[in-house]
Amino acid sequence: MTLRADHRTRRQAKRAARREARRAKPLWRRLLPTWRVTLGALTAVLLLAVGSFAVLYLIVPVPDANAHAVAQNNIYLYADGTTEIARTGAVNRTDVTIQQIPLDTQHAVVAAEDRSFYQNRGIDLSGMIRAGWNTLIGKGMQGGSTITQQYVKNYYLTQDQTIERKGRELFIALKVDQQRGKDEILSGYLNSSYFGRGAYGIQSAAHAYYGVDVSALTLPQGAYLAALLQGPSIYDVKTATPANREKALARWNYTLDGMVQLGFLSATDRAATTFPEPIDPQPATGLSGQAGYLVGVADDYLVSSGIIDTPTLKAGGWRITTTFDKDKQEAFAKAVQQELTDELDPKARPTTDTDVRVAGASVEPATGRVVAVYGGPDYAKQPYNDALRQDNQIGSTFKPFDLAAGIDSGRSSGDGRPITTETRYDGTSERPVTGGPTPYAPPNEDDTDYGNITLRYAMVKSVNSVYAQEGVDAGLAHVRETAVRLGIPDNVRGMDPANTSMTLGTATPSALNLAGAYAGFANHGQAFTPWSVVKLERVHPGGAIDVPKMPDHVATTALDRGTADAVTDVLRDVVTPRGTGAAALELGRPAAGKTGTTDSNLSAWFAGFTPELATTVGLFREHPKTHAKEPLSGTAGFTRINGGTFPTQIWTAYMSEALDGTDVQDFDLEPSRGNNRAETPTATTAPSPTATPTTTATATATATAPAPSAPAPTQPAPTAPRPEPSSRPAEPQQPTTVPTPPSYTPAPEQPSAPPQPPTPTGRPTPTRPTAPPTATTPPQPTGAATPPPAR
């Protein structure tokens, strides 16, 4: 008893001593827990975490396959909400066993996606920590998921980026790894993953990219499919931008290097491996005719607008109501067939009448709804949507943006007076532009000199020397900003204000982009981003309905009404007997527009509108294999093809049928002060070195061009004689004898006996060589100025 008491006394004394020692320490030190308290707390936390983990592991079940694994078709409908365009989106997948997948392909996937796959237990804590740290320090969003986790996400869960889904994924991955072998997991992953091109699973991917069964994949092909898993949409080298192609090749090399590192591939074999170019994308079943192009426009809108991501859309089950009008869509296809395709004779002219392609789009100015597009003749034969491509220069259809920027800027044309539609400029061909960032002296059509003319008349005749200077006077940065506000994407090539040639249309927007921008002029400066889907909904097996929120479509003020209406007023004069768009007079309605033909005759355009509808038509030739641009010269037997011929005729035929049965509407224009048509015509023969503004008080008029001696036919005919072109193709002079339909009186011309304007003087033009045109490689983006378009 005495020993026990003594022991207790000593312990009490020690405690007291420790308390006294602690009281003697500074306050901050006394606030810190002792090592005993710290150890106890950590132990408790650890025990709690282990217990919680064990409980969660037991209660989180391995669920049944998710809806993604049994996805349905997507159904696309016309704007009426009942007429089907196409059914697509069913999961394109054929499951295969692990034995059917080449070992090299299996190893490539492991090297690309999870190099610890054969060692880890379904999760990789070090990889997750590393990914989190890299994300935290700014190296971009990193993924730390194992192949097992990705398989669980694909097959059992959803793509939702939530903490709850990520937690379930972790516990299910642990269970799946315990319950199944590595080969079964890898097989399930490869059969459920999305590889792009609508292909789910390695078997479908092998067919989509190389046209073979998975068992026939070579080492480099298997490595490329493995590389696609990280970014199937951006790593498809057949459709990727140059930057994304480089990323795809880097990912392919990373995969092969990983195979060497893991011992799956020898360094010698690695060095001998070359990149296997995949085949071109093949059309999906059921998308023949125009259906595939409409589906492509709708899909592009849904994904680019952030409404839905590509994997979720491709999983299927969606009912998609579009803005497309069935009658207008059929009218567009019919117009191309009648006005162009029927005029071509590939057998008689195999070097010029083949590979001719049309890009078209039609937009409602008042709403921004896309009512029709023309992406090609048949998606089953040509699975490229030409309506969306952004690699053709638009030429002189860019000049209205120059004019709008000049009027909008209030800047001087040279003598301190603001730029108006009646401001005069020197129309001498190849006159050097003054004040531009790069030297530039563009020729006019056939090197014609026009003397001192107004901006209105220069638009009517598409005078390059005038608008090259006017664009510089307006400010190239402001011209670019104006075009972007109206709807020209700011990231397309040829929109660099450091190059003076930007003024004449080196930009490469799509036909849909251009139609949306011209719709902004038609809508008095109020611009919409074109849109093509009205409603999106999906019914789940249990009856629940997904209805994603669609964006609001609100117009933005791209231009004030006075400026937009002034430009429209000038573009109305283009569609007159003296304008380059004279062929559009056959529409029989008030219309406005602009023609465009690019350097070397590589493309030709007409962009125009009525108060109800804005439509663009682009024409070009492209080699089907190399995709190199080919000149239009010689097409349908003509020496050259200009925007005022086939593009304007297709536009007119389409618009006539699209607007048939609707009331004729006139333009309600309120151009800003100084931009009305002049009433008293005058003429000036002395060219000015830059611009000579016209005083509004004297109201000088637009000069009237003399009629050509031999009227050109309004409809191309291969047997009709054609003048030899100059070395710089451009729109032909239009005849003054084009008939005006009785239902429409165009903008008033000059009085019957006005003073004569300056007579354009043609310079000697060289004769085009008789050899057939050769393919031209499309321009690549560089820092140098792009060659100027001719019209």
Side-chain angles (χ1 to χ4, degrees):
M1 293 292 293
T2 304
L3 290 175
R4 252 199 243 87
D6 290 342
H7 182 66
R8 187 167 53 251
T9 302
R10 283 195 299 270
R11 280 188 301 174
Q12 292 174 346
K14 287 180 180 180
R15 289 198 200 97
R18 284 197 298 270
R19 286 196 294 270
E20 289 299 321
R22 188 169 181 81
R23 292 194 189 99
K25 292 179 179 179
L27 177 61
W28 67 270
R29 182 64 184 83
R30 295 201 305 270
L31 294 175
L32 294 177
T34 64
W35 67 270
R36 291 181 177 85
V37 174
T38 302
L39 180 61
L42 290 176
T43 301
V45 170
L46 180 60
L47 291 173
L48 181 61
V50 171
S52 300
F53 188 92
V55 171
L56 289 172
Y57 181 85
L58 292 172
I59 66 173
V60 174
V62 176
D64 295 329
N66 63 22
H68 181 97
V70 290
Q72 312 165 58
N73 287 329
N74 282 333
I75 302 174
Y76 294 80
L77 305 172
Y78 280 106
D80 61 13
T82 57
T83 306
E84 278 193 22
I85 298 172
R87 285 176 176 255
T88 185
V91 173
N92 176 24
R93 174 171 53 218
T94 302
D95 288 352
V96 292
T97 65
I98 195 67
Q99 288 77 22
Q100 293 174 274
I101 304 172
L103 196 58
D104 281 337
T105 300
Q106 298 178 41
H107 290 162
V109 171
V110 171
E113 293 294 300
D114 179 10
R115 295 183 180 179
S116 68
F117 172 69
Y118 289 112
Q119 290 79 39
N120 65 50
R121 296 297 183 182
I123 64 172
D124 181 4
L125 289 177
S126 63
M128 295 170 66
I129 294 171
R130 181 173 59 254
W133 174 253
N134 287 338
T135 301
L136 187 64
I137 63 176
K139 290 188 177 181
M141 187 66 69
Q142 303 285 311
S145 295
T146 63
I147 283 177
T148 308
Q149 287 175 271
Q150 293 180 62
Y151 167 55
V152 167
K153 178 180 65 175
N154 291 342
Y155 194 75
Y156 296 107
L157 301 175
T158 68
Q159 305 295 320
D160 295 340
Q161 298 296 321
T162 63
I163 295 176
E164 186 270 342
R165 197 275 298 160
K166 194 69 178 176
R168 293 183 64 207
E169 173 189 303
L170 187 146
F171 289 105
I172 296 171
L174 287 170
K175 284 190 172 183
V176 167
D177 186 76
Q178 291 296 313
Q179 297 170 6
R180 300 181 184 178
K182 291 293 186 181
D183 282 353
E184 186 178 358
I185 293 171
L186 184 59
S187 173
Y189 173 65
L190 289 175
N191 280 320
S192 63
S193 294
Y194 181 63
F195 288 83
R197 298 192 181 185
Y200 284 88
I202 191 72
Q203 170 75 334
S204 296
H207 277 279
Y209 288 91
Y210 293 107
V212 299
D213 283 332
V214 63
S215 59
L217 287 174
T218 64
L219 163 66
Q221 290 172 345
Y224 177 61
L225 295 184
L228 281 170
L229 287 165
Q230 188 185 59
S233 297
I234 63 174
Y235 287 171
D236 186 342
V237 296
K238 286 297 183 180
T239 58
T241 63
N244 283 340
R245 180 183 173 88
E246 290 181 8
K247 292 178 181 178
L249 293 176
R251 183 69 179 176
W252 179 74
N253 282 305
Y254 167 84
T255 299
L256 291 171
D257 291 340
M259 294 180 69
V260 174
Q261 178 185 331
L262 295 172
F264 297 145
L265 180 66
S266 70
T268 302
D269 290 342
R270 164 69 180 94
T273 305
T274 57
F275 183 74
E277 284 287 341
I279 62 176
D280 285 340
Q282 302 301 302
T285 304
L287 296 180
S288 60
Q290 294 297 302
Y293 305 119
L294 301 183
V295 167
V297 172
D299 286 356
D300 181 75
Y301 169 72
L302 289 170
V303 174
S304 64
S305 300
I307 299 169
I308 192 172
D309 60 44
T310 300
T312 305
L313 177 62
K314 294 297 183 183
W318 296 100
R319 186 178 177 88
I320 301 164
T321 304
T322 71
T323 60
F324 305 123
D325 183 288
K326 187 175 186 295
D327 292 339
K328 290 182 175 62
Q329 185 61 40
E330 291 176 348
F332 218 141
K334 179 182 176 183
V336 174
Q337 179 69 39
Q338 292 182 342
E339 302 300 323
L340 173 67
T341 309
D342 289 350
E343 301 294 325
L344 302 177
D345 191 346
K347 292 183 179 179
R349 295 180 291 270
T351 60
T352 60
D353 281 17
T354 54
D355 313 329
V356 181
R357 301 170 77 141
V358 176
S362 193
V363 176
E364 287 182 352
T367 64
R369 294 164 59 102
V370 183
V371 297
V373 296
Y374 187 86
D378 185 346
Y379 190 78
K381 298 177 181 178
Q382 180 198 297
Y384 294 95
N385 195 333
D386 290 333
L388 296 179
R389 63 189 306 157
Q390 296 178 334
D391 60 352
N392 289 303
Q393 294 183 351
I394 60 170
S396 291
T397 58
F398 192 82
K399 286 174 182 172
F401 305 124
D402 296 326
L403 179 59
I407 298 172
D408 179 68
S409 69
R411 294 180 64 167
S412 166
S413 60
D415 67 348
R417 299 181 184 181
I419 295 173
T420 71
T421 61
E422 312 310 311
T423 299
R424 290 181 173 271
Y425 275 84
D426 181 1
T428 302
S429 182
E430 297 188 84
R431 184 181 70 80
V433 175
T434 60
T438 54
Y440 195 38
N444 296 330
E445 173 198 353
D446 295 327
D447 269 348
T448 301
D449 293 330
Y450 287 90
N452 203 18
I453 57 176
T454 65
L455 287 174
R456 180 185 295 275
Y457 183 66
M459 186 73 77
V460 169
K461 293 299 180 183
S462 202
V463 182
N464 292 331
S465 58
V466 167
Y467 274 95
Q469 183 64 60
E470 186 273 339
V472 169
D473 292 346
L476 294 181
H478 186 56
V479 171
R480 182 184 190 279
E481 178 191 352
T482 300
V484 170
R485 287 202 310 265
L486 281 162
I488 303 299
D490 61 0
N491 60 349
V492 298
R493 288 183 299 172
M495 285 280 283
D496 184 2
N499 291 328
T500 309
S501 59
M502 184 190 78
T503 54
L504 298 188
T506 57
T508 59
S510 70
L512 183 54
N513 298 147
L514 190 58
Y518 269 62
F521 289 126
N523 198 33
H524 311 293
Q526 299 298 305
F528 289 92
T529 299
W531 53 286
S532 56
V533 176
V534 177
K535 185 169 62 174
L536 180 68
E537 60 183 356
R538 177 171 62 178
V539 179
H540 289 282
I545 301 177
D546 281 343
V547 185
K549 185 180 185 306
M550 304 300 289
D552 294 327
H553 304 290
V554 180
T556 61
T557 302
L559 297 170
D560 65 69
R561 176 165 185 163
T563 298
D565 286 1
V567 174
T568 296
D569 190 44
V570 171
L571 295 182
R572 290 179 64 197
D573 282 356
V574 175
V575 186
T576 58
R578 63 194 177 116
T580 59
L585 280 170
E586 291 197 11
L587 176 63
R589 292 170 177 262
K594 184 68 188 76
T595 55
T597 310
T598 60
D599 193 55
S600 300
N601 209 186
L602 293 182
S603 62
W605 292 83
F606 185 72
F609 54 91
T610 64
E612 311 98 314
L613 208 55
T615 302
T616 56
V617 178
L619 187 67
F620 63 100
R621 292 182 67 227
E622 177 178 288
H623 193 281
K625 299 297 184 183
T626 66
H627 304 295
K629 294 296 163 41
E630 301 172 328
L632 288 166
S633 310
T635 299
F638 293 105
T639 307
R640 63 183 176 189
I641 301 298
N642 303 294
T645 56
F646 287 120
T648 306
Q649 290 154 7
I650 293 170
W651 183 93
T652 305
Y654 161 70
M655 293 287 281
S656 295
E657 190 159 343
L659 297 174
D660 185 40
T662 65
D663 294 337
V664 175
Q665 295 185 30
D666 204 347
F667 290 104
D668 178 21
L669 301 182
E670 299 175 5
S672 54
R673 184 177 180 184
N675 290 291
N676 293 298
R677 288 187 183 85
E679 296 177 357
T680 307
T682 63
T684 304
T685 58
S688 61
T690 175
T692 306
T694 301
T695 306
T696 55
T698 59
T700 55
T702 301
T704 303
S709 57
T714 59
Q715 190 81 352
T719 58
R722 298 287 293 180
E724 288 297 319
S726 71
S727 59
R728 302 172 180 86
E731 272 76 0
Q733 298 289 334
Q734 299 293 340
T736 58
T737 57
V738 175
T740 302
S743 60
Y744 165 52
T745 303
E749 295 298 312
Q750 303 300 333
S752 58
Q756 291 299 312
T759 302
T761 58
R763 301 180 181 182
T765 57
T767 302
R768 184 178 298 279
T770 56
T774 57
T776 304
T777 301
Q780 299 298 320
T782 64
T786 308
R791 292 287 278 177

